[in-house]
């Protein structure tokens, strides 16, 4: 029992060296644990003469109490230090500016396409989408453009294996729909089209929006009225005019101009001094086309129109090169955030 002070100073050294509460606990167990020094002393009691046992027991108890106090006071210090360290490492600076979440925007083509659909959906049109790989029949023949027809040269076609091609126009959708559905028809057909063509205003892939109306007694006046409504909404209050033109699938055929929204019709660089901007092709559906689809041209008549979505978007947003639509430069795209 003369070792009491030695044991205490050993415990003090070990407790001081313990840098974490885990290490401190292990140090404590060396003295107060089941295999610790104090327990060993108690176990040794049986070898001590009976008359010395009470005094010995008292001393061991005192030793245990002192060790418990010793470790308790170290525990307090270690815990306080650990808490301080934790608070320090988990500190957050609430004044730091937050990380900005950049919001995306609809692509100008998607957006223009949606605007167009909204305008025509308001007039009762429904959307029908045809395939991008099309047969010559739907893309040309049924549209009154047989193999030897000169108008096939108006569109530089990408041919695939025999009889198939990448559609050059969404007009093919007119045939597909009329084969399925009997009049009255009010169809809008948006989609990608392909032509071997490449400059500032043409790209090998672009988008069109096709329209078709077939019913009894449909006239060119109906087309004109509907186009005026379209021009009003799309280009805020502009007028339209029809110019004679030629498409194999319409008779008569027209090209549609809207009065220049940049100069109000006075003449500027956008409208090349004419006061008018060409926006789409249209016409009364050629009776051969109706016949090809099993629609009786003596009972029904219709009009059709087709426009380039890129062209509409370029005019509306003042975009000067068609390639901007496919380069996907964020600096371009982010200008279309609402
Ligand atoms: N398909 C024609 C083109 O790509 C555009 C067009 C003109 C569509 C007149 C029509 C139409 O429906 O009636 O050049």
């Amino acid at each position: 029992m003369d070792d009491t002070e030695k044991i205490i100073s050993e415990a003090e050294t070990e407790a001081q060296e313990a840098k974490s509460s885990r290490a401190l606990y292990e140090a404590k167990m060396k003295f107060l644990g089941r295999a610790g020094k104090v327990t060993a002393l108690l176990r040794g009691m049986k070898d001590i003469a009976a008359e010395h046992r009470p005094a010995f027991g008292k001393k061991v108890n005192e030793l245990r109490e002192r060790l418990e106090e010793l470790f308790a006071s170290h525990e307090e210090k270690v815990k306080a230090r650990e808490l301080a360290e934790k608070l320090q490492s988990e500190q957050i600076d609430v004044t730091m500016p937050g990380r900005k979440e950049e919001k995306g925007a609809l692509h100008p083509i998607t957006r223009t396409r949606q605007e167009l659909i909204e305008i025509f959906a308001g007039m009762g049109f429904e959307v029908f989408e045809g395939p991008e790989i099309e047969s010559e029949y739907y893309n040309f023949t049924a549209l009154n453009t047989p193999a030897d027809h000169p108008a096939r040269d108006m569109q530089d076609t990408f041919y695939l294996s025999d009889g198939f091609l990448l559609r050059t126009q969404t007009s093919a959708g007119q045939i597909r729909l009329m084969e399925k559905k009997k009049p009255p028809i009010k169809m809008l057909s948006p989609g990608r089209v392909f032509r071997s063509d490449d400059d500032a205003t043409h790209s090998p892939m672009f988008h069109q929006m096709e329209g078709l109306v077939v019913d009894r007694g449909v006239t060119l006046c109906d087309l004109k009225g509907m186009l005026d409504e379209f021009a009003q909404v799309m280009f805020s209050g502009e007028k339209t005019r029809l110019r004679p033109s030629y498409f194999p699938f319409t008779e008569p055929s027209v090209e549609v101009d809207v009065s220049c929204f940049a100069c109000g019709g006075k003449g500027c660089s956008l409208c090349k001094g004419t006061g008018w901007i060409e926006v789409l092709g249209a016409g009364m559906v050629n009776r051969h086309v109706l016949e090809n689809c099993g629609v009786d041209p003596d009972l029904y008549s219709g009009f059709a129109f087709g426009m380039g979505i890129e062209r509409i978007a370029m005019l509306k947003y003042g975009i000067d090169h068609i390639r901007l639509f496919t380069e996907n430069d964020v600096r371009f795209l982010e200008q279309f955030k609402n």
Side-chain angles (χ1 to χ4, degrees):
M1 278 319 298
D2 300 335
D3 288 345
T4 307
E5 293 309 320
K6 214 179 125 207
I7 292 174
I8 300 248
S9 94
E10 252 174 55
E12 179 61 39
T13 314
E14 294 233 11
Q16 255 165 25
E17 277 166 9
K19 294 287 171 251
S20 65
S21 42
R22 173 91 217 145
L24 186 62
Y25 177 77
E26 274 159 17
K28 182 176 166 181
M29 287 304 108
K30 279 193 204 162
F31 296 90
L32 295 167
R34 253 201 268 164
K37 292 198 168 155
V38 174
T39 321
L41 285 174
L42 289 172
R43 286 220 185 90
M45 277 240 289
K46 60 182 184 320
D47 304 327
I48 290 177
E51 70 266 30
H52 294 310
R53 275 186 204 156
F56 181 84
K58 197 174 162 221
K59 272 214 146 181
V60 175
N61 273 336
E62 275 168 16
L63 173 64
R64 192 180 54 216
E65 273 164 31
R66 284 181 64 188
L67 285 171
E68 266 163 8
E69 270 166 37
L70 183 151
F71 281 105
S73 91
H74 278 278
E75 242 163 53
E76 227 171 87
K77 274 186 245 158
V78 168
K79 285 216 170 109
R81 203 184 55 231
E82 281 176 345
L83 180 64
E85 278 168 8
K86 191 167 179 224
L87 290 176
Q88 180 65 32
S89 73
E90 289 176 5
Q91 206 174 48
I92 39 168
D93 180 357
V94 291
T95 65
M96 222 159 84
R99 222 174 278 147
K100 219 170 135 193
E101 289 273 326
E102 287 292 346
K103 259 204 200 160
L106 287 180
H107 190 279
I109 294 299
T110 308
R111 187 171 156 158
T112 307
R113 178 190 145 118
Q114 282 190 357
E115 279 177 56
L116 289 169
I117 290 177
E118 250 166 62
I119 294 173
F120 289 102
M123 299 186 232
F125 283 69
E126 56 183 335
V127 173
F128 169 83
E129 284 181 67
E132 289 174 2
I133 291 178
E134 199 38 290
S135 70
E136 282 190 55
Y137 177 76
Y138 287 100
N139 195 82
F140 288 127
T141 316
L143 285 162
N144 198 36
T145 322
D148 55 353
H149 198 290
R152 283 217 187 181
D153 298 337
M154 286 164 73
Q155 305 175 352
D156 293 302
T157 312
F158 290 115
Y159 284 94
L160 305 171
S161 57
D162 42 61
F164 289 94
L165 42 76
L166 292 177
R167 69 174 171 198
T168 59
Q169 49 189 359
T170 44
S171 307
Q174 293 185 25
I175 309 298
R176 289 196 175 265
L177 188 84
M178 280 192 281
E179 280 183 353
K180 279 203 194 93
K181 191 175 187 278
K182 295 289 144 230
I185 286 170
K186 264 186 165 179
M187 171 207 82
L188 206 56
S189 192
R192 292 198 284 190
V193 298
F194 307 85
R195 290 182 198 181
S196 180
D197 209 353
D198 203 359
D199 62 32
T201 53
H202 297 89
S203 76
M205 185 281 291
F206 63 104
H207 299 78
Q208 284 188 333
M209 180 71 77
E210 190 83 12
L212 174 70
V213 173
V214 183
D215 201 352
R216 285 172 196 261
V218 174
T219 69
L220 201 63
C221 285
D222 298 317
L223 170 66
K224 173 83 166 93
M226 196 210 62
L227 290 172
D228 283 342
E229 169 71 15
F230 152 74
Q232 282 251 328
V233 183
M234 200 65 188
F235 299 108
S236 3
E238 300 308 321
K239 309 181 286 205
T240 61
R241 77 170 180 189
L242 308 182
R243 271 182 298 110
S245 184
Y246 175 76
F247 299 103
F249 34 86
T250 45
E251 182 57 39
S253 301
V254 295
E255 245 148 64
V256 181
D257 298 342
V258 295
S259 56
C260 181
F261 35 84
C263 63
K266 283 198 239 41
C268 66
S269 63
L270 183 66
C271 60
K272 299 190 187 85
T274 64
W276 296 94
I277 296 173
E278 188 196 318
V279 289
L280 57 95
M284 297 307 292
V285 180
N286 190 304
R287 54 187 295 128
H288 294 312
V289 175
L290 295 175
E291 276 164 2
N292 289 341
C293 304
V295 177
D296 183 350
D298 294 324
L299 280 181
Y300 295 102
S301 59
F303 64 74
F305 60 89
M307 63 185 96
I309 300 184
E310 276 80 356
R311 176 161 177 79
I312 303 286
M314 286 172 89
L315 289 170
K316 185 162 171 152
Y317 300 116
I319 298 164
D320 60 5
H321 205 296
I322 200 164
R323 211 184 310 132
L324 288 163
F325 291 121
T326 41
E327 278 174 342
N328 284 335
D329 186 326
V330 209
R331 289 167 303 179
F332 169 71
L333 295 174
E334 69 187 0
Q335 295 177 55
F336 298 91
K337 283 184 192 170
N338 284 328

